[in-house]
Amino acid sequence: MPFLGQDWRSPGWSWIKTEDGWKRCESCSPELGRESGQCTLSRDLILNSEDEEIFNNEECEYASKKRKKEHFRNDTNTQSFYREKWIYVHKESTKERHGYCTLGEAFNRLDFSSAIQDIRRFTYVVKLLQLIAKSQLTSLSGVAQKNYFNILDKIVQKVLCDHQNPRLIKNLLQDLSSTLCTLIRGVGKSVLVGNINIWICRLETVLNWQQQLQNLQMTKVNDGLTLSDLPLHTLSNILHRFSDGWDVVTLGQVTPTLYVLSEDRQLWKKLCQYHFAEKQFCRHLILSEKGHVEWKLMYFTLQKHYPTKEQYGDTLQFCRHCSILFWKDYHLAWLLKDSGHPCTAADPDSCFTPVSPQHFIDLFKF
């Protein structure tokens, strides 16, 4: 029967088929009620034993799926990663492809969860998370935010376990906590995806992580060769390999010998020349009482005014020919007839561009 009723939102009237045609079933009509009772059969009479078993199995399967779905929604640690090796970056709809790729979608689909286990990509992923925390956190979807904090949890647990790169994570958590405090205090001024209580819980989690890193104690290893056993020229060579001044300062705090080597003027001069231009030197020139250039003070002064060069062991690559974002070693696997980025260019290597963390975010700005 077609849907009939006084209100389009109502479920409609109940109808029953009689010898004179279809009649509306009214509860106040005893005659139609009796006739309806005769025509309405119980499920036990309609279904035989085999049908009853099928019906029960379908109900159990439906209930099981519903419980799994509710468990997935309620489990905050559940991750929604596609673990794809590359994604197509499109900013507008075309005849062949509708929609566009967002920052949250790229963050979900690219395998960042496994990337943090690679020492070459660890710093790259941390820097990307830091940039997202500063300016792009509210642009992520609910699933992307969930994955963001799940990856961050993995990073924190990794640092607490292997005691590597704690300073990077402390800086990341500091920026993230500042952003969360601003968002919570200014609730209503900005659009937050999710309930305000969720954001408060996230802030409490970040503060807990900061406390754990603050209480982190480095374990001292007494067995085997140590830095103190190495010759001076080897220690000096190690310090000259660093591209971050804070790493030089940190290593200089280990032993008195390393402290003396870390104060070398030539070391800090090379760091300044690597990160900054000569014009920037002239604007912030710092001289000692004897007329010598204080390269160490200049480095940290210039760092406050100008960005330093970023150096990563491995980064994402962007193919200008295919508009595909991928990890570099995945494309090498494709050249060996394995899975990876399916480039159709005659010379694929000429189309690849390294993607810095800031470039990654700029790719998805419209």
Side-chain angles (χ1 to χ4, degrees):
M1 285 295 294
F3 179 84
L4 295 175
Q6 296 179 350
D7 192 343
W8 63 272
R9 294 168 294 184
S10 68
W13 293 318
S14 298
W15 294 78
I16 185 172
K17 188 175 182 180
T18 63
E19 295 179 355
D20 299 331
W22 287 92
K23 293 184 179 181
R24 190 174 66 180
C25 180
E26 297 178 355
S27 58
C28 59
S29 175
E31 181 179 352
L32 288 177
R34 288 191 301 269
E35 192 172 354
S36 175
Q38 296 174 359
C39 297
T40 303
L41 302 178
S42 64
R43 190 188 69 177
D44 297 333
L45 297 178
I46 296 176
L47 298 177
N48 54 29
S49 59
E50 182 178 357
D51 293 335
E52 179 72 18
E53 182 178 358
I54 296 175
F55 184 83
N56 291 334
N57 291 337
E58 290 180 352
E59 280 188 334
C60 294
E61 184 179 358
Y62 173 77
S64 176
K65 289 182 178 180
K66 186 175 181 181
R67 285 195 301 269
K68 290 181 180 179
K69 188 174 182 181
E70 291 177 352
H71 175 73
F72 176 81
R73 289 180 176 178
N74 296 331
D75 187 6
T76 56
N77 294 324
T78 302
Q79 300 181 17
S80 303
F81 294 112
Y82 291 83
R83 298 186 180 276
E84 295 187 13
K85 302 176 181 179
W86 54 268
I87 60 170
Y88 178 78
V89 181
H90 53 287
K91 296 186 177 182
E92 57 184 7
S93 299
T94 62
K95 293 181 179 180
E96 296 81 11
R97 189 182 293 267
H98 295 279
Y100 56 89
C101 186
T102 63
L103 175 63
E105 183 181 358
F107 186 79
N108 289 338
R109 295 174 60 184
L110 287 173
D111 192 6
F112 287 103
S113 181
S114 300
I116 62 177
Q117 305 300 330
D118 191 337
I119 190 173
R120 301 171 302 166
R121 301 174 180 174
F122 182 83
T123 307
Y124 179 83
V125 176
V126 171
K127 182 62 176 180
L128 178 60
L129 295 180
Q130 188 173 11
L131 291 178
I132 293 177
K134 288 181 178 179
S135 60
Q136 302 295 323
L137 192 60
T138 55
S139 66
L140 299 180
S141 63
V143 175
Q145 290 176 9
K146 189 177 183 180
N147 291 338
Y148 178 92
F149 283 93
N150 285 334
I151 291 178
L152 188 56
D153 182 38
K154 284 187 174 183
I155 291 176
V156 173
Q157 299 307 321
K158 182 178 184 298
V159 172
L160 293 175
C161 181
D162 57 22
H163 297 176
Q164 295 182 9
N165 301 303
R167 181 173 54 83
L168 292 177
I169 312 306
K170 288 180 181 179
N171 294 337
L172 167 59
L173 294 180
Q174 180 62 38
D175 293 336
L176 181 58
S177 61
S178 300
T179 302
L180 291 176
C181 288
T182 304
L183 293 175
I184 293 174
R185 291 173 184 171
V187 61
K189 298 180 181 179
S190 59
V191 179
L192 298 180
V193 178
N195 191 283
I196 184 62
N197 294 324
I198 296 178
W199 291 90
I200 295 176
C201 291
R202 287 171 176 171
L203 177 58
E204 293 176 351
T205 303
V206 171
L207 296 177
N208 185 31
W209 287 337
Q210 288 180 309
Q211 187 63 37
Q212 292 180 23
L213 291 175
Q214 192 69 25
N215 299 333
L216 181 63
Q217 298 292 333
M218 299 296 179
T219 56
K220 185 177 181 180
V221 180
N222 297 323
D223 300 334
L225 190 67
T226 62
L227 288 175
S228 302
D229 300 326
L230 298 177
L232 293 180
H233 69 275
T234 303
L235 296 175
S236 178
N237 191 20
I238 292 175
L239 287 170
H240 279 79
R241 297 291 180 180
F242 290 156
S243 61
D244 191 341
W246 284 110
D247 291 335
V248 176
V249 173
T250 303
L251 186 58
Q253 297 173 352
V254 177
T255 63
T257 303
L258 286 171
Y259 174 77
V260 174
L261 294 175
S262 66
E263 295 294 322
D264 183 18
R265 294 180 63 253
Q266 292 298 322
L267 171 62
W268 291 101
K269 180 180 179 180
K270 289 183 178 179
L271 282 176
C272 291
Q273 291 175 344
Y274 174 76
H275 289 286
F276 311 106
E278 294 184 2
K279 294 182 179 180
Q280 297 171 344
F281 294 166
C282 300
R283 296 177 184 176
H284 303 277
L285 190 62
I286 301 176
L287 300 177
S288 64
E289 295 179 356
K290 297 181 180 180
H292 301 298
V293 179
E294 295 286 351
W295 291 106
K296 182 178 180 179
L297 294 177
M298 278 190 57
Y299 173 82
F300 290 106
T301 302
L302 292 170
Q303 193 180 40
K304 296 178 181 179
H305 296 85
Y306 308 102
T308 57
K309 288 184 179 180
E310 298 177 354
Q311 188 178 19
Y312 306 103
D314 189 17
T315 66
L316 285 167
Q317 300 283 323
F318 181 71
C319 181
R320 299 185 302 274
H321 177 76
C322 307
S323 295
I324 285 180
L325 196 63
F326 64 99
W327 291 106
K328 185 176 181 179
D329 57 344
Y330 289 141
H331 184 75
L332 295 178
W334 175 79
L335 293 177
L336 299 175
K337 306 302 180 182
D338 200 349
S339 60
H341 163 48
C343 187
T344 58
D347 185 11
D349 292 338
S350 62
C351 303
F352 298 162
T353 302
V355 179
S356 65
Q358 185 61 52
H359 185 199
F360 178 87
I361 294 179
D362 293 339
L363 281 174
F364 304 99
K365 288 185 177 179
F366 305 102

